[in-house]
Amino acid sequence: MGQILARSEGTSAAAKWSGIDGASYYTPGVLDLVRNAPLYHLQRQLGTGWCLPWAFTVSVLSGCNARCRTCHIHRLPDRRLSLEACARLGRGLRRPAGWLTVSGGEPFLRDDLAAVVERLVEGLGPRLINIPTNGSFPEAVQRVVGQLVHRFPRRQFIVNVSLDGVGDEHDALRGLPGSYDRACETLAVLRALAERRPNLVVGIHSVISRFNVERFPAICDALLALGPDSLVAEVAENRAELVNETLAIAPDPEPFARAVAHLERRTRRRTAPRLARLVRWLRRTYHDDVLRWLEGGSMGRSCFAGTASCHVMPDGTVLACGVRGAVLGQLEAFDYDLAALWRGPQARRVRRQIAAERCSCPLANQAYVNAALDPRTPLRLLRLGLADRWREWQRRPVPGTTERDR
């Protein structure tokens, strides 16, 4: 969630988010989540499993060809979620999911990824499907994504290519020589595909860590010049799923504030439809919350991990989230009936524990679910909207002045 609109050539990002891909796909899914907010709040406190998850992250494998400085997932055995598990995951769901992230490891290491995603979409029924990739396999990306956007024309797909630097700097951060050039090639084939398929948004995802935060403004400018539909920046953090709990990777607050301020200035200058503006403002609330977290505070919102969202691991373990790694249950133990697992005693216990401990972290996917369920979010978005309107009014053309005068 929370794609920041950036720059696009050919089919514009503004066009993608102003037509059916924004109004008809994104909005109803989020509204469904918001409509159930009272039940999710009650479920979080009581631990019950009345409401099934709205957002799913499914790690289809743990293997990865990169050796990132911020992640050690490659140290895990290469486990893979079976096609049977993918097909049966939606068993017992009473309504379709809103959001599905198909993750890894590197998802495109799987030769059968298209079949995996097809079964997940058919079972879970999400409106939006996000697939992150390090961009190492442009031919596989072209084949798989092309097949999926054709197979599901009424679903919105977002493919984010991970880029944390430019050229050799990116290769060093990813521990994978030549990865920057291959990622750029992947972006090119995705953009060509997106020009023919309006249900595909092509993005760049960047992790801001202590290794690149000082140079991120320049990195941001270079990445925007590649012409993605969106640029998403997430803070590096310790997560159980990434096997990086002992790594010192988070950036210092001050350079992080400068980095995201630059990103916000660049995206603020771009004309965007109403829906895209709301997404942009939501992203800015995330940056504010992360900065407070880096300074030693909390994200300032209740966490709905294990209540409105969950993370399915390659071995069939269902986690509340990938950060703390709290186990809700094992799919095989419930005959792959997620609804039964969701209502089980272990899942109820984890929900109550998360609520009692006031869990708080900057995990981006979870942060946007939390924001959608936070009754204070509309007021925060209104304030940002009014501030944007004020800046636009100040920059309005005045007769007899030039752009430099303004």
Side-chain angles (χ1 to χ4, degrees):
M1 292 179 68
Q3 296 285 79
I4 298 180
L5 292 181
R7 172 180 174 229
S8 178
E9 300 171 9
T11 303
S12 71
K16 285 178 180 292
W17 287 94
S18 61
I20 61 169
D21 301 323
S24 297
Y25 286 97
Y26 193 90
T27 306
V30 175
L31 289 179
D32 182 51
L33 174 64
V34 173
R35 276 195 298 268
N36 285 287
L39 289 176
Y40 278 125
H41 277 269
L42 189 61
Q43 176 166 285
R44 179 176 177 271
Q45 293 298 326
L46 300 180
T48 60
W50 302 323
C51 289
L52 294 170
W54 178 87
F56 287 80
T57 297
V58 180
S59 293
V60 296
L61 82 169
S62 54
C64 188
N65 60 317
R67 300 294 183 266
C68 301
R69 295 186 68 181
T70 57
C71 173
H72 284 169
I73 197 170
H74 61 272
R75 295 182 175 179
L76 295 175
D78 186 9
R79 296 190 176 94
R80 303 191 174 205
L81 193 66
S82 69
L83 283 174
E84 179 192 13
C86 295
R88 300 176 67 183
L89 187 56
R91 179 184 173 189
L93 296 187
R94 295 186 297 272
R95 58 181 173 81
W99 182 278
L100 167 65
T101 296
V102 180
S103 186
E106 168 51 45
F108 288 92
L109 280 172
R110 288 194 65 152
D111 295 333
D112 61 348
L113 182 62
V116 166
V117 178
E118 286 178 356
R119 283 161 175 75
L120 289 172
V121 173
E122 289 166 353
L124 298 174
R127 291 180 179 270
L128 294 104
I129 302 97
N130 175 38
I131 308 176
T133 175
N134 62 29
S136 296
F137 309 102
E139 296 84 2
V141 170
Q142 184 178 35
R143 172 178 53 82
V144 172
V145 176
Q147 181 176 332
L148 291 173
V149 295
H150 176 76
R151 170 72 175 79
F152 300 103
R154 301 294 299 172
R155 310 285 178 182
Q156 180 68 56
F157 287 84
I158 303 170
V159 180
N160 283 325
V161 180
S162 298
L163 284 167
D164 299 338
V166 179
D168 292 342
E169 177 185 26
H170 171 77
D171 293 356
L173 286 171
R174 291 283 168 170
L176 192 60
S179 59
Y180 179 79
D181 290 339
R182 288 195 294 274
C184 289
E185 185 180 349
T186 298
L187 274 172
V189 300
L190 284 169
R191 288 178 56 205
L193 182 61
E195 288 179 1
R196 305 189 304 272
R197 293 292 180 180
N199 62 327
L200 173 62
V201 171
V202 180
I204 291 176
H205 175 272
S206 293
V207 176
I208 301 180
S209 68
R210 70 181 184 90
F211 306 116
N212 66 353
V213 64
E214 295 287 357
R215 296 179 304 282
F216 188 78
I219 294 170
C220 170
D221 292 343
L223 297 183
L224 287 176
L226 296 175
D229 294 330
S230 65
L231 175 59
V232 180
E234 184 176 359
V235 69
E237 62 173 324
N238 301 117
R239 302 186 199 173
E241 62 162 323
L242 302 181
V243 201
N244 67 356
E245 297 97 325
T246 62
L247 300 182
I249 55 177
D252 290 332
E254 191 172 325
F256 176 82
R258 291 195 299 268
V260 295
H262 179 85
L263 174 59
E264 290 168 3
R265 282 194 299 271
R266 288 297 310 273
T267 56
R268 192 186 302 135
R269 296 172 190 163
R270 304 176 186 277
T271 302
R274 189 173 302 169
L275 177 67
R277 287 171 182 256
L278 285 173
V279 173
R280 185 177 66 198
W281 298 334
L282 183 63
R283 192 72 188 178
R284 285 165 60 186
T285 68
Y286 169 72
H287 292 156
D288 292 342
D289 293 344
V290 171
L291 182 58
R292 184 168 55 248
W293 177 82
L294 288 172
E295 291 171 338
S298 75
M299 291 289 287
R301 302 182 192 270
S302 298
C303 181
F304 288 85
T307 296
S309 62
C310 68
H311 190 140
V312 181
M313 297 297 285
D315 63 354
T317 301
V318 181
L319 307 178
C321 70
V323 175
R324 61 185 288 156
V327 177
L328 303 178
Q330 188 76 25
L331 283 172
E332 190 174 5
F334 288 85
D335 194 26
Y336 295 92
D337 187 342
L338 181 67
L341 181 153
W342 198 248
R343 294 189 294 266
Q346 190 169 345
R348 293 198 300 269
R349 185 164 55 251
V350 169
R351 286 188 202 104
R352 289 194 296 266
Q353 185 178 16
I354 290 174
E357 295 178 3
R358 298 186 177 183
C359 214
S360 178
C361 80
L363 181 64
N365 271 7
Q366 189 60 52
Y368 295 119
V369 173
N370 297 343
L373 293 171
D374 188 340
R376 299 167 297 176
T377 295
L379 181 59
R380 293 184 69 179
L381 296 180
L382 177 62
R383 289 172 179 169
L384 288 172
L386 291 174
D388 263 9
R389 290 295 187 183
W390 173 247
R391 277 189 291 266
E392 290 172 3
W393 184 83
Q394 289 179 311
R395 293 198 304 267
R396 75 195 189 284
V398 178
T401 64
T402 65
E403 182 68 26
R404 179 174 292 183
D405 295 330
R406 295 196 295 272

